[in-house]
Amino acid sequence: AEVQQITVTILNDDIIEAQEAYTVTLNSTTNPLVPINDATANGIINDDDANPGDGIQFTQTEVIVTEGIDDYAIFNVTLTGNIGENVTVDYTTAVGTAISPNDFTETSGTITFEPTVKSFNIQVPIIDDILVENQEQFTVVLSNIVSNIGIEFVNGQPTNTATGTINDNDSDTDFPEDETVSCDAVPTIPTIVLNAKDCAYTVDVVENLTGQDDSCPSEYTITRTWTVTDCVGNVRNHTQTITVEDTTAPTFVETLPQNLTVTCDAVPDAEALTITDNCDANATVTYNETATNDRNCSTGYVITRTWTAQDCAGNENIHTQTITIEPTGPITASNYDQEITITCGEDIPEVPAIEFMGGCGDFTVAFTEEEQFSTGTDDYMIVRTWNVTDSCDNMETFEQIIFVMQPQEELITIDICIEDSEIDLINYLPESFDTSGTFEVISGNATLNGSYFDPINFEVGEYIISYSSIDTSCKFYAEYTINVNADCVPCGLKDIIVSKAVTVNGDGINDFFEITGVENCDFEFRVLLFNRWGKKVFESENYENDWGGFAPNGSFGKSGVLPAGTYYYIINITNRELKPINGYIYLGTE
């Protein structure tokens, strides 16, 4: 019996679908003597569009909100993959350290994903209460996926869970803290305003006094207690204790001027001060004296004297006297350049001749000069120091700093043709550079002959070469960018040589289809080969002279080589505006 095949073309879409069926029916024959048996056949199409990672998941498994700022914790749920019908999944919240309704409102429902809607936001209302709390958490659970097309959670689990974290916006600073005040500075009861913007609350305050006296000054305690109740029944209590003290300070008997200005030989002696107070027997006076500038008369200084009186209740009274001693005059110097900046290699400036004045005269000068280097830089400083001492043993220091800056890295660009003569890279350095350094190839496949660069040895392209001379205190750096081009090389269609034959016999002669004659022209070739019936047997976007007659996908026999014969080629030069090259090539296998 003769067998015929009916081919039904199947469309490969990218939509995830359930298994689908169709039928093929035979209607009639041209020969009425030939009956039709089994006139109907069934076709089944299995889907192949579900990819690893497709499915339902939370975009973020933790959402952090702050009560009073965020009205909702928003959880985004997505479905990846193209679906051909609706898919549903249930969601519900669950309490943790955060509870409902005090911290959030329980929420549940069903998400329906459609072919054009694959993202959904679950909004969980956040309650702004009045309590000072630690960070609290609740969860949102996805479950019960309903799908005819095999959609599951991305992680393969039966449920998915995300965590909602609530940061508190309340603090004890909403209420006044304990404090100690004098009896004439008792604060009024403040109005308390909390952060609960969406949750109404009531505030009750009770004040009690302990040990209050009818007279002032007196010592007593005020206790204030606030009770706050919010809309969901939370109760917050706060107690403030105000200690009212007798802060009447003792009084000094003697009176001294607060500020004096005297010469170095007229500094008065410190006096002993006494006080009057209601507890004189237990009152004390302490004295302290400090001086600036090591009491140096030539430059002047300041004496600060402090008498501190303290009574039996701990109340203090402080008297301060400042005595300014006029200077005899500082040591000064004639004008000179205190800072100089030079480039390494330039002449170091001469040491300046400085004249010193002021102070007590009769100067002794100690001069030093040193070089100072820092880690992480080749720049350095020359520091010149004059330590000058006068006859009163007053000393002043004068400096001159010479900043020696290393020359900046020299950036050198050279354009050279591949057939040009070699060049000496030293000739491109600035005249001020030391020429005894070393060269190093940073980028590009190149080898230097000392400082000489010969382009004929290299390919067309860019080469980065660094130069450094670091054997002295002056450091010299340069970076060469050498662009080797083919501007001087003939690069036209007439220069291209194409193989006429390929013999696949391994003798090293005509083993490959080759395009030659323009190796230095930086051409890029797209090659197409066709057999005598016009069927394409080879294609290469950036041909590398590597086709040796092999068949596409080994389709011709076991050898993987195309049959001998004449083939047609088309060569496109993709990086030049040149006409395509075409012609015939003979493929032999012996």
Side-chain angles (χ1 to χ4, degrees):
E2 184 178 352
V3 176
Q4 297 290 332
Q5 290 186 340
I6 299 175
T7 300
V8 179
T9 302
I10 303 301
L11 299 181
N12 184 18
D13 59 25
D14 60 354
I15 299 174
I16 302 173
E17 302 166 301
Q19 191 181 67
E20 298 171 312
Y22 65 93
T23 59
V24 178
T25 302
L26 300 178
N27 295 321
S28 63
T29 67
T30 58
N31 187 346
L33 299 178
V34 179
I36 298 176
N37 298 318
D38 297 327
T40 300
N42 295 320
I44 302 296
I45 303 175
N46 292 319
D47 190 58
D48 67 343
D49 295 298
N51 296 311
D54 285 348
I56 299 173
Q57 64 179 351
F58 284 105
T59 302
Q60 293 178 289
T61 58
E62 183 178 21
V63 175
I64 301 175
V65 295
T66 300
E67 67 177 49
I69 297 177
D70 300 298
D71 294 331
Y72 298 92
I74 299 175
F75 298 81
N76 180 251
V77 183
T78 61
L79 185 152
T80 54
N82 294 325
I83 57 176
E85 58 183 66
N86 291 357
V87 176
T88 65
V89 61
D90 295 336
Y91 66 87
T92 186
T93 56
V95 301
T97 52
I99 60 176
S100 176
N102 294 41
D103 300 306
F104 71 98
T105 301
E106 289 186 299
T107 305
S108 62
T110 299
I111 299 170
T112 299
F113 293 107
E114 302 174 8
T116 59
V117 180
K118 296 189 286 184
S119 179
F120 185 85
N121 285 337
I122 300 171
Q123 295 187 336
V124 180
I126 302 302
I127 306 301
D128 184 14
D129 61 21
I130 63 170
L131 298 181
V132 179
E133 304 166 297
N134 294 323
Q135 193 179 67
E136 299 174 314
Q137 294 180 323
F138 65 93
T139 56
V140 179
V141 180
L142 301 177
S143 63
N144 189 31
I145 296 175
V146 177
S147 169
N148 294 322
I149 55 177
I151 296 296
E152 299 179 346
F153 290 115
V154 171
N155 63 5
Q157 299 299 315
T159 62
N160 264 203
T161 301
T163 301
T165 299
I166 305 175
N167 291 323
D168 191 46
N169 66 333
D170 302 292
S171 72
D172 289 330
T173 58
D174 297 331
F175 295 89
E177 298 180 349
D178 295 345
E179 59 180 320
T180 300
V181 299
S182 60
C183 66
D184 58 349
V186 176
T188 59
I189 299 175
T191 300
I192 300 301
V193 178
L194 302 180
N195 292 321
K197 66 176 182 179
D198 296 325
C199 187
Y201 58 88
T202 59
V203 180
D204 297 315
V205 60
V206 176
E207 180 176 270
N208 294 312
L209 306 181
T210 304
Q212 185 177 17
D213 198 326
D214 293 334
S215 62
C216 188
S218 62
E219 296 185 0
Y220 62 98
T221 301
I222 302 173
T223 302
R224 294 172 177 170
T225 302
W226 285 266
T227 302
V228 185
T229 305
D230 69 7
C231 62
V232 291
N234 294 313
V235 177
R236 181 174 172 185
N237 295 311
H238 179 79
T239 300
Q240 180 195 28
T241 301
I242 303 174
T243 303
V244 184
E245 292 187 332
D246 172 12
T247 55
T248 305
T251 304
F252 286 104
V253 176
E254 295 83 9
T255 302
L256 294 177
Q258 290 186 325
N259 298 296
L260 293 174
T261 300
V262 298
T263 60
C264 194
D265 56 353
V267 178
D269 293 333
E271 294 191 31
L273 301 186
T274 57
I275 58 173
T276 60
D277 191 71
N278 57 3
C279 52
D280 286 343
N282 295 312
T284 59
V285 178
T286 56
Y287 173 76
N288 183 60
E289 179 177 305
T290 60
T292 64
N293 207 21
D294 294 332
R295 301 180 187 267
N296 189 327
C297 289
S298 65
T299 57
Y301 61 98
V302 176
I303 297 174
T304 303
R305 292 172 172 172
T306 304
W307 291 265
T308 302
Q310 189 175 62
D311 68 8
C312 59
N315 300 312
E316 286 188 345
N317 190 359
I318 299 175
H319 178 78
T320 301
Q321 183 183 58
T322 300
I323 303 173
T324 302
I325 292 82
E326 296 179 327
T328 58
I331 302 173
T332 61
S334 59
N335 291 333
Y336 68 97
D337 292 328
Q338 296 183 13
E339 293 184 358
I340 301 173
T341 300
I342 65 173
T343 300
C344 196
E346 295 179 355
D347 293 336
I348 305 297
E350 297 290 337
V351 178
I354 302 176
E355 180 182 353
F356 299 103
M357 302 156 286
C360 299
D362 194 14
F363 303 109
T364 301
V365 180
F367 173 78
T368 59
E369 179 178 295
E370 65 173 350
E371 293 181 346
Q372 294 183 2
F373 296 87
S374 299
T375 302
T377 178
D378 290 329
D379 299 336
Y380 66 97
M381 298 187 302
I382 299 174
V383 181
R384 293 168 173 170
T385 305
W386 292 263
N387 290 315
V388 183
T389 306
D390 67 8
S391 58
C392 298
D393 291 330
N394 300 311
M395 189 177 77
E396 285 288 346
T397 299
F398 302 90
E399 281 188 342
Q400 182 184 66
I401 299 177
I402 302 173
F403 296 97
V404 184
M405 313 300 290
Q406 295 295 335
Q408 290 187 348
E409 181 182 38
E410 191 75 15
L411 300 178
I412 302 169
T413 300
I414 301 173
D415 291 313
I416 189 170
C417 183
I418 196 167
E419 292 185 358
D420 286 347
S421 300
E422 70 175 0
I423 56 174
D424 187 351
L425 299 181
I426 288 179
N427 294 335
Y428 293 82
L429 292 172
E431 292 183 1
S432 60
F433 266 45
D434 177 73
T435 59
S436 62
T438 58
F439 292 89
E440 181 183 359
V441 178
I442 303 301
S443 174
N445 185 15
T447 302
L448 297 179
N449 181 15
S451 62
Y452 286 90
F453 182 95
D454 191 348
I456 197 66
N457 295 327
F458 310 129
E459 297 178 352
V460 171
E462 182 182 83
Y463 298 84
I464 307 298
I465 298 172
S466 69
Y467 172 81
S468 61
S469 175
I470 59 174
D471 292 338
T472 64
S473 58
C474 293
K475 316 297 182 184
F476 299 95
Y477 300 95
E479 181 178 280
Y480 294 79
T481 299
I482 303 177
N483 297 306
V484 178
N485 57 61
D487 294 347
C488 60
V489 179
C491 291
L493 289 176
K494 61 182 177 60
D495 301 300
I496 299 175
I497 302 171
V498 181
S499 293
K500 299 300 181 182
V502 175
T503 55
V504 188
N505 54 16
D507 62 356
I509 301 173
N510 295 329
D511 286 341
F512 297 98
F513 177 64
E514 295 185 342
I515 305 171
T516 59
V518 287
E519 286 77 3
N520 294 325
C521 293
D522 194 25
F523 281 175
E524 294 180 4
F525 298 106
R526 179 172 180 259
V527 174
L528 299 97
L529 290 172
F530 303 86
N531 63 17
R532 58 189 298 181
W533 297 281
K535 181 177 181 181
K536 182 171 62 178
V537 297
F538 175 75
E539 180 179 3
S540 174
E541 287 295 332
N542 192 5
Y543 186 60
E544 299 290 342
N545 288 340
D546 55 358
W547 184 74
F550 55 85
N553 301 319
S555 59
F556 288 88
K558 297 181 179 180
S559 65
V561 178
L562 290 167
T566 300
Y567 292 82
Y568 184 76
Y569 64 80
I570 299 176
I571 301 173
N572 291 294
I573 304 169
T574 58
N575 61 342
R576 295 288 190 279
E577 293 184 0
L578 297 175
K579 294 181 178 179
I581 303 170
N582 51 58
Y584 292 93
I585 182 172
Y586 178 77
L587 174 65
T589 57
E590 294 183 358

